[in-house]
Amino acid sequence: MPITSAPAPSRAELVEHLVRTRIAGDVATPRENNLDHYRKLANGDRHYWFGLELGDRWRDEQDVLAVMAERCGVIDDPDHRHGQDTIDPELTVDALERMAAVLRKAAAGRRRVLLATGHPGGLLDVHIATAAALRAAGCDIVVVPDGLTADDGVVFQFGQVAMVERGATLWHTHSPAPMAAILDGLEAAGEALPDLVVADHGWAGCAGQRGIDAVGYADSNDPALFLAEAEGTVQVTVPLDDHVRSPRYYDPLTAYLLNAAGLTD
């Protein structure tokens, strides 16, 4: 069962909570940082591609900004170069509802699901609760093979969620390499690949690029997964600030998601 005991809020209550805690609304990520990342992605810096193969399709940073305004809710004015930027909380909840539909389908089909995070400081409990709820509904949660390494770290699971550890520290990473290590490790062991990946950062991008159904979370300065959703490589990307002051702030979001998916009592 989900680890959070928070009751599921109404849509209006969740929108208010997202704005108050700055998960959405006027977020902490500054406009300068957002535009810098959009520019680097457009210039072909693969650190910002999250394991996706974007080719030459997003070489104009204004095209990237247009998608981010549409799907994340950042300010759409290209002349707004400094200061505050935003995530539209209504878009966040819309995406949570789309993700809930994917999770509901996975539970109904008792699908094989892999959960992973490159942002354990913010989103780990969201993923742990989702894994527990899916397992309780009969899904097969993928067990990561032992001995996997990537990016000078160890790929392992905690609470049924895959992540990277370096020096006894859970690692924040945008890299697709840990997900590639898991998928390659499963194939090498003769084990089935996941039917669905629930993740963020390069974990979700790599899975989607490999043709696996993937849903994920992304911040306003991480455009790759939103572009992937626009192209159909990733099924759902939920816009949010992925590391606010307290991880407890995500509990109402998690409760809303799992309730909408039919994964709560």
Side-chain angles (χ1 to χ4, degrees), residues 55-227:
D56 294 326
R57 299 185 298 279
W58 300 100
R59 291 300 190 184
D60 188 338
E61 66 181 272
Q62 299 307 319
D63 291 340
V64 179
L65 174 60
V67 170
M68 294 303 292
E70 176 188 14
R71 293 181 178 268
C72 182
V74 302
I75 296 167
D76 62 0
D77 181 3
D79 293 325
H80 178 58
R81 311 298 299 178
H82 305 281
Q84 183 65 54
D85 213 339
T86 59
I87 293 175
D88 185 339
E90 297 289 349
L91 293 178
T92 302
V93 181
D94 287 346
L96 285 171
E97 292 174 352
R98 295 197 304 275
M99 183 182 282
V102 174
L103 297 182
R104 182 185 289 271
K105 182 178 179 180
R110 300 197 170 189
R111 301 182 78 193
R112 183 166 163 81
V113 184
L114 173 62
L115 297 99
T117 186
H119 225 304
L123 299 178
L124 178 56
D125 279 356
V126 178
H127 289 298
I128 288 176
T130 304
L134 287 170
R135 183 173 183 178
C139 287
D140 176 18
I141 305 301
V142 172
V143 176
V144 172
D146 289 334
L148 299 180
T149 60
D151 297 330
D152 300 318
V154 177
V155 182
F156 82 116
Q157 276 175 303
F158 176 80
Q160 301 180 309
V161 179
M163 66 200 83
V164 173
E165 179 191 50
R166 287 188 193 170
T169 299
L170 303 183
W171 205 252
H172 171 218
T173 176
H174 289 186
S175 173
M179 177 59 75
I182 292 174
L183 299 179
D184 292 345
L186 290 170
E187 289 185 321
E191 297 183 29
L193 294 179
D195 301 309
L196 173 67
V197 166
V198 182
D200 48 66
H201 289 176
W203 301 84
C206 176
Q209 187 63 46
R210 295 256 190 132
I212 297 169
D213 288 350
V215 298
Y217 302 92
D219 209 329
S220 59
N221 63 353
D222 292 333
L225 293 188
F226 295 99
L227 302 183

